[in-house]
Each structure stands twice: as C-alpha cells, then as structure tokens.
Amino acid sequence: MRSIKPRHLGRRPFPRHLTTSSSQPQITPITSLLIANRGEIALRVNKTAKRLGIKTTTLYTDPDAYSQHAACSPSSINLGAANGYLDGERIVKLAKQHGIQALHPGYGFLSENSAFASMCEEEGIVFVGPPAQAMADMGNKARSKEIMTEAGVPCVPGYHGSEQGETELLGRAKEIQFPVLLKSVRGGGGKGMRIVMEESEFLQQLKSARAEARASFGEGGEVMLVEKYIVRPRHVEVQVFADKHGNCVALGERDCSVQRRHQKILEESPAPDLDNVTRLDLWEKARTAALAVGYVGAGTVEFILDKDTGNFYFMEMNTRLQVEHPVSEMVTGTDLVEWQFRVAAGEKLPLTQKEIMGRISERGAAIEARIYAESPEKGFLPDSGKLIHLKTPETDEDIRIDAGFVEGDTVTEAYDGMIAKLIVRGRDRETAIRKMELALRDYEVVGLSTNIEFLKRLCRSPAFIEGDVETGFIEKWKEELFDTVVIQPEVYVQAALGIWASQSPKDDVWADCFSDGLNSSRRSYSFKSLDVLDQKEGEVVEVVIQHKGNRLVEARVVRKGEDPQVFDNVAYSHVSAPEKTSLVTSFPHTRIQSTVVHAPARDNKITIFQHGAKTELSLVPPGWYEKVTGLKEIAASVTAPMPCKILKNEVKEGDRVAKGAPLVVIESMKMETVIRSPQDGVIKRLAHKEGDKCKAGTVLVVFEEEEGTG
C-alpha cells in the first residue's frame, strides 16, 4: 500500500474574514459519489445520497467483505487488505477509472489528509470537504495556533515552536508552570498525549509521548507541543459550516466532556451550565477560526473550557464531519451530509445564522451515546465478535440509531469497535436524558461486551443530570459509576426456565446432566455470575425447577450459607427461537418479562435481559462431567478476552503468583493490554509463546489444581 505524505502547501497570508470575489462559484450538482469509508458513516452518507438521487459506489476490505456498507450501494469495490482504506492513490485511481464525479471521505482514515484532498482536486474529483490548504493549516497543531492567535481566537498558554530538545522543552514547561500537557503536533484520539504534574516526571513522560506519537503518526509525530494543563477542563466544540460564497454559520455547540482514554462517549447540545454570553462568544470565535483559513464545508472547532475560571481556549479544528454530527442535526432540524453535497456543488448555505438560532431555540436538547464493543468494568477493554443477538429501541423523529451492523454481523478487531450511535431529543435536557436511559434499556446485545450498562448508569448519575461535567468525570465518579450490583433470585429462575423451555430432553445435550435421573419433571441447574460488578461474582447459585403441570412450576434458589428461596405456583409462557427464548413469568409477587439467550458454543453463557438490565451467567456442569470432559483444567485457566497477538509472557511455568499479578501482555485493535491473574496460584502451563496469534476464548495460562478442589 502506498502511503500518502502531506505535500508542501504554500503558506499564504490568512484573512480575518473571508472575502467574496466578483464572480460567483458555478453550481454543478453532484450525480455520482465514491464513499471512501466504512461502517455506519458509509451507510449514513449513502442514505442521504440516495435520497438526493446521487449514484453511489462503496469500498470494502477483506475483513468487511460481508459488511452492511459493502452491500448498501449499487456498486462496491474490494480494496483487499484491512489497511486498504488508507491507500489514497489507489482510491483516487478507482474513482477516475469508474468515472465517478465526487468523493466523500467520511471521518477517520483519509478524511483529514490534506495530500489526499489535494490529489482529488488535481485529478478533477470533487472532494466533499474543505480545501486542501485549509485542511493543512488546521491539521498542524502548531500552525493552527499561530493562525488563531493572529485572528484573535484565544489559545491555551503554551509553546508551539521548533526548539524540540529535551532541555529546551523542559525550560518551556517551567515557564508555563506545572502541570503541563504534552501532545504531538499531529495528535488525535489521545495518542501521543501525556499529562505531566511535576518537573521530576517530565523527561520520562516526554519520551513515552514521543514514542507513542511516532508509532501512531509516523515521521514528524514526535514533534511536541507543551501547553498549560487545565485541571478541570470541559470539552466544548462548535459545529461550523461555510460555503464558497463567503458565508459561514455556527450550528450550535456540543459538550463532549464525558470521555475515556481521551475519546468521547456522550455528546450533547446545547452544552449544559453555559451562560448565553459565553455560548454566543464561542460561536463567534469558531466562525472566526473557520474564516481565518478560508474554510469551506463542515468543520468542528474544539475548545477547552476552564470550569474554575469560565475562560475558554482554542484546542483544534476537525476538518471533516464529526462522529457526533447527528446531535447538531437534531437541534437544528438539518441534514449536514446534504449540506455537504450542496456546498461542494457550489450552492449557498441553506440557512442563515438567524434562522439557525431560531431553530435551536425551538428544538430542545439532544444527546448521543456511542455504543462500543468494550468492557468498561475491565478498564474499557475493547472486544470483538459476532452479534448473536441484537435488539434495538424503536426509532421515531426523536430517537435515531446510526449503525453499521445488524444481528449476525461480526465486529472485527481490525477497526474501531463502535457498533452504533443512539441519538435522542427532548424538549429540554432532563427529558432527553430520561428518554436516553429508556432507549438504552431497550438495547440488547449478545456476542461481545458493550458499554450499554455503563451508559445507563451515566444517565442515572446525579452529577451528570445536574450538568456538572468535565473531562475527568468518569474518574471523579468511578465509585458511583462502578458500584456493585446484586443479582435478584428471579433472574436465576428466568435463566433456568429459559433453558428448560427452549430445549426438549431428547434435544438437550445437558438433559441427563441436570435431571435427577428418576424424575424427568425435575431439573437442577447451577449458575455462576460473570458480572464483574456483582458483589458475589463467581458464586455458584443452584436453581431447582419442579414441573407441576399446566405450565406451573415450583422454583427453588439455593445460595451457599443462605436459606433457600422458594417460589411456588410460578406460571410461565414462552416463545423460543434458536438460542433465545422470550419468557413471560408470573411469580406470586410480580410479573416479569425476559429474554434469555443461551448459546452452548459460547462456553454455555446465559444472557438475561430483564427490567431493562442485562445479566450474564455461566451454566456450570456437574463436577463429574467436568472431570470426564477435561473442563476442570479449562476452568482453572485464563483465556484471551479478544482475538490478539501475544507480545510477552510475564511469568514462567512453576511460578507462584498473587491475584492481580501480570501474566501476559497482548495486542489487539492496536492497543496493548496486560492480562492479570484472577487468583492466587501456581502456573502449570503457558499455552502460547510470544508472537502467537490467538482467537477470543483461547486458553493462555493454566493454573495447578489446588489441593481440596477435586
């Protein structure tokens, strides 16, 4: 694959305001489009293009061969290897070869590569985005801050110069005063970024930031900015749009302060707890920033807002459509992709600033939640896998889902793990938050870990409801957000009934294991909680079901050290499909509706959706069955949480380790993760050596069986 390196784009004096020439731009409607991206944004762009009568062609790679975006357009082209979306020269060549008029880059990949935009311009392909020069000016953090300072847009105090020696940068940090923030001039997504609280750790953090930035952004990524670190910052950004006629508008601001690993989770508009004077000043400064570089199209100007002083500072400009653009669409009643097409064709902006302000005042508040394949309870560890079960909330004009996957699709480790975006609108912020939580309660995903339960807890957080947000929100409120949960006995009963109802004895490979041999109307199941937040995680709970006829059962829940809980005359009805059962059960005290997903191939995991919450259990085979099948050794082991590559074994066979000790370092989704010991014990076997590639669920480490556990 050819890499695209930014070409030298001559610097020119930048105007404080864009001037219009006497000759008006020619309007040339877009009729054919190449969508140079994947997943939900490719589907999003295709939807608007189709509505406007634009013929589309999509691109896909080998990992995306069966993806939704590959099948959504009349024509699609295979790029081969997973990194094909970065092969700009080939993509432009394909557009020319197929006679395609315009190209939409989406977000990520080549969307902010000025050389790619320039190449499209040179080849006569309409690039649905800003001019290459504006992209280059804003893409270099040091250069953009020079431009903003000259244009009168406030910037965080810091050093953005060419003196890059360790001693020079340390001297600049002392002048600025600690704490300071180190970040690459080409940074993004938190890569190459370090917070340095005191002088003694500066050089170590500088080396670490440079190494990560060079690995992420290539040559030149090691050039660092040193800025004053705002201790309690908010991330507030403004959606701007400019046309070729000299018009530029702000479509409101978005607060994106709730983040993990410097990446956004929730975005909302309007920003909470923001006075109108500051809000309008942000809009004006964002418009000024766009006009200063002759901007055209959709862009987002990001600011840091200091919670302690109320001051705000320019951070950077994203010269593309943002992931969170639907939030702005909801509060302005617009289709920003349609605006992109119209502006690229030479048309004027569809609305004036006054008209936009009128719409914002009438349309309430909107919030977007990103649905990620990850486990927040395990440090937001990314995940991948097949979507065995997927149920989404019902959509309407106030509830929207932008998704790249459907049930049966596989979320691959080759790309970002975002499954979908859920966007809701309410008449005010409080209503929007309530509607978001209700919609999340209707979201069901089985097959991989997601952040949906975490998002529900965020929506219930008193601090979030009050609008007391900052970029350190999750860390500040982690005890509340990761508080322990208690699994109610009815959940275990529903799990047992779900298994029994979905499998007749002759079809059930576990039937002989769980019946008492003489009485086929009586079954005993043992479950173990897989919820990290369960205060009794790992506890084995037994459920005994005695069938009494006419869909009536007695259910007995037995926990070690507690008296059994007995539910008599429990009536249930069910509808079963392969690997899933919908249950409606009438207990003596309440009626409960549940979905039970049982996939034996997934290590006998049972997933129960009940009262808007998800619970994951494991069906535990009897002890004799474990010994015969060899499952006992597998149970005393550590497995790969996702497809990965083994980077390093931190232990050797025979070592005694304590719970929490590092065992193996793996790499997945371009991230390093340390797998730690779940228990005290002795290492019996290391299943893989450094460099091996493993599937999810592959055994990595086996422990010696402790005496007394047989």
Side-chain angles (χ1 to χ4, degrees):
M1 185 195 81
R2 303 181 188 90
S3 62
I4 294 186
K5 296 182 179 178
R7 302 173 184 173
H8 176 70
L9 295 168
R11 293 179 179 170
R12 44 154 172 60
F14 47 87
R16 174 67 188 272
H17 296 286
L18 188 67
T19 57
T20 56
S21 61
S22 56
S23 60
Q24 293 295 309
Q26 181 180 352
I27 297 177
T28 306
I30 294 173
T31 57
S32 61
L33 179 75
L34 180 64
I35 303 174
N37 215 293
R38 66 179 298 274
E40 64 86 15
I41 187 58
L43 292 165
R44 163 75 187 90
V45 171
N46 184 73
K47 182 179 179 181
T48 293
K50 184 178 180 180
R51 178 172 61 81
L52 297 176
I54 300 171
K55 180 184 176 183
T56 58
T57 299
T58 50
L59 301 173
Y60 65 94
T61 58
D62 292 341
D64 279 340
Y66 301 101
S67 64
Q68 298 304 305
H69 79 266
C72 76
S73 61
S75 176
S76 56
I77 302 170
N78 187 4
L79 295 172
N83 59 358
Y85 298 114
L86 294 170
D87 193 344
E89 290 186 22
R90 185 180 177 202
I91 291 171
V92 171
K93 184 178 179 181
L94 286 169
K96 290 282 288 183
Q97 179 183 328
H98 290 268
I100 300 172
Q101 177 194 6
L103 180 148
H104 196 300
Y107 54 72
F109 296 119
L110 296 169
S111 63
E112 293 186 278
N113 188 305
S114 59
F116 181 61
S118 181
M119 190 186 307
C120 289
E121 293 170 9
E122 291 170 4
E123 294 296 333
I125 297 168
V126 177
F127 182 79
V128 184
Q133 182 64 59
M135 192 182 291
D137 285 340
M138 284 304 195
N140 184 297
K141 285 181 166 46
R143 171 66 176 150
S144 66
K145 291 183 189 303
E146 291 174 9
I147 296 172
M148 293 303 100
T149 299
E150 190 167 335
V153 179
C155 296
V156 178
Y159 175 69
H160 315 129
S162 59
E163 294 182 0
Q164 289 289 310
E166 292 182 351
T167 303
E168 287 80 0
L169 290 177
L170 177 57
R172 298 289 184 176
K174 289 179 180 178
E175 291 175 10
I176 298 166
Q177 296 185 341
F178 291 92
V180 298
L181 182 67
L182 287 170
K183 58 183 177 181
S184 167
V185 295
R186 296 184 181 175
K191 299 292 194 302
M193 185 182 294
R194 296 291 186 275
I195 298 167
V196 187
M197 299 304 295
E198 55 188 35
E199 181 181 342
S200 61
E201 62 184 47
F202 181 84
L203 294 181
Q204 179 185 355
Q205 294 282 44
L206 175 62
K207 290 176 182 177
S208 175
R210 278 182 159 162
E212 185 174 89
R214 192 180 297 112
S216 299
F217 310 115
E219 186 180 350
E222 71 278 3
V223 178
M224 288 285 132
L225 308 179
V226 185
E227 294 181 344
K228 179 66 180 174
Y229 176 63
I230 308 298
V231 177
R232 292 209 306 152
R234 287 176 60 182
H235 179 128
V236 181
E237 60 188 32
V238 179
Q239 176 71 61
V240 295
F241 228 108
D243 62 23
K244 299 175 182 178
H245 300 262
N247 304 304
C248 182
V249 295
L251 290 100
E253 80 288 343
R254 300 183 290 252
D255 190 292
C256 310
S257 298
V258 181
Q259 305 179 1
R260 52 91 174 101
R261 295 197 303 269
H262 302 291
Q263 294 177 321
K264 305 162 189 173
I265 300 176
L266 282 178
E267 302 100 348
E268 57 178 308
S269 183
D273 195 23
L274 192 65
D275 65 86
N276 207 43
V277 172
T278 303
R279 174 173 286 110
L280 294 179
D281 196 14
L282 278 165
W283 293 11
E284 180 58 31
K285 292 299 192 295
R287 292 176 65 247
T288 299
L291 292 168
V293 292
Y295 200 81
V296 174
T300 297
V301 184
E302 298 189 342
F303 296 93
I304 292 175
L305 193 151
D306 190 333
K307 282 194 64 145
D308 294 320
T309 66
N311 296 329
F312 64 83
Y313 307 96
F314 170 83
M315 183 163 56
E316 63 183 358
M317 183 174 188
N318 289 308
T319 55
R320 53 173 167 81
L321 200 65
Q322 290 277 84
V323 174
E324 59 271 22
H325 76 273
V327 174
S328 297
E329 292 181 324
M330 280 284 207
V331 296
T332 58
T334 57
D335 181 335
L336 296 185
V337 175
E338 178 179 348
W339 279 38
Q340 285 187 298
F341 290 144
R342 296 197 180 283
V343 166
E347 296 183 29
K348 289 185 177 181
L349 294 176
L351 296 173
T352 65
Q353 189 66 65
K354 184 177 180 180
E355 290 171 328
I356 291 168
M357 293 175 71
R359 290 194 176 196
I360 290 174
S361 68
E362 298 171 351
R363 293 184 61 83
I367 304 175
E368 173 181 284
R370 302 190 189 189
I371 311 297
Y372 276 110
E374 65 182 15
S375 176
E377 298 77 15
K378 297 179 181 178
F380 296 94
L381 186 73
D383 201 1
S384 60
K386 184 178 179 180
L387 293 168
I388 294 171
H389 169 73
L390 175 62
K391 174 180 171 290
T392 59
E394 291 187 8
T395 58
D396 55 36
E397 62 178 2
D398 289 336
I399 299 177
R400 166 178 165 181
I401 297 173
D402 285 10
F405 302 92
V406 298
E407 184 173 293
D409 285 352
T410 296
V411 179
T412 171
E413 70 275 12
Y415 304 110
D416 180 80
M418 189 170 72
I419 299 170
K421 302 179 304 195
L422 173 63
I423 312 100
V424 303
R425 182 173 70 93
R427 65 183 180 183
D428 51 37
R429 185 173 182 271
E430 291 74 19
T431 304
I433 292 173
R434 290 197 301 271
K435 291 175 74 172
M436 172 62 78
E437 189 197 354
L438 287 174
L440 287 166
R441 288 167 66 91
D442 287 339
Y443 224 123
E444 299 178 2
V445 178
V446 178
L448 40 68
S449 303
T450 75
N451 63 339
I452 293 174
E453 299 304 304
F454 176 75
L455 291 169
K456 295 175 193 173
R457 295 194 293 271
L458 269 176
C459 290
R460 294 192 293 265
S461 164
F464 179 71
I465 293 170
E466 292 169 10
D468 183 17
V469 293
E470 58 187 271
T471 57
F473 183 90
I474 293 175
E475 179 63 25
K476 181 178 180 179
W477 299 103
K478 65 181 179 181
E479 288 189 12
E480 170 194 302
L481 295 172
F482 295 102
D483 196 9
T484 55
V485 298
V486 176
I487 299 178
Q488 299 300 321
E490 293 86 352
V491 174
Y492 289 104
V493 173
Q494 292 292 76
L497 288 174
I499 297 171
W500 191 349
S502 65
Q503 297 174 323
S504 66
K506 64 185 178 65
D507 295 328
D508 186 356
V509 297
W510 297 97
D512 291 337
C513 298
F514 297 112
S515 69
D516 63 10
L518 298 175
N519 187 354
S520 62
S521 66
R522 177 186 174 94
R523 294 282 183 86
S524 175
Y525 299 92
S526 293
F527 299 102
K528 183 166 65 174
S529 169
L530 300 178
D531 193 333
V532 176
L533 298 183
D534 182 5
Q535 58 185 217
K536 296 183 178 181
E537 181 199 5
E539 173 196 32
V540 175
V541 176
E542 184 184 16
V543 180
V544 179
I545 301 291
Q546 176 68 55
H547 205 283
K548 303 172 73 172
N550 296 322
R551 296 199 177 279
L552 284 177
V553 300
E554 178 192 271
R556 181 181 297 264
V557 180
V558 183
R559 282 185 158 111
K560 187 176 181 180
E562 298 181 12
D563 291 335
Q565 291 177 278
V566 180
F567 301 96
D568 200 8
N569 293 323
V570 175
Y572 74 96
S573 61
H574 73 278
V575 177
S576 294
E579 298 187 340
K580 65 184 75 172
T581 299
S582 295
L583 274 174
V584 178
T585 305
S586 295
F587 290 84
H589 61 293
T590 188
R591 175 180 176 275
I592 296 177
Q593 186 169 348
S594 308
T595 299
V596 180
V597 182
H598 175 210
R602 296 177 59 242
D603 299 325
N604 273 292
K605 287 183 180 178
I606 315 292
T607 306
I608 305 95
F609 295 95
Q610 185 167 304
H611 290 320
K614 175 183 179 180
T615 303
E616 287 196 300
L617 307 174
S618 176
L619 181 61
V620 181
W624 66 264
Y625 188 83
E626 287 184 322
K627 286 187 176 181
V628 170
T629 59
L631 288 173
K632 196 166 189 69
E633 182 177 89
I634 295 174
S637 64
V638 175
T639 60
M642 67 196 91
C644 63
K645 177 182 177 182
I646 306 298
L647 293 183
K648 186 179 181 182
N649 284 315
E650 297 282 7
V651 293
K652 59 182 183 296
E653 294 174 2
D655 283 357
R656 177 169 289 279
V657 298
K659 182 177 181 179
L663 300 177
V664 184
V665 181
I666 64 172
E667 180 185 58
S668 182
M669 294 182 175
K670 300 180 180 179
M671 292 179 56
E672 289 188 15
T673 302
V674 178
I675 305 298
R676 298 183 180 276
S677 178
Q679 64 184 64
D680 296 342
V682 177
I683 305 300
K684 178 180 180 180
R685 179 167 59 89
L686 296 175
H688 294 277
K689 62 181 184 301
E690 295 174 13
D692 285 358
K693 293 184 178 180
C694 305
K695 295 181 179 180
T698 302
V699 172
L700 302 179
V701 179
V702 179
F703 290 94
E704 294 280 4
E705 183 179 336
E706 297 290 335
E707 290 185 13
T709 61

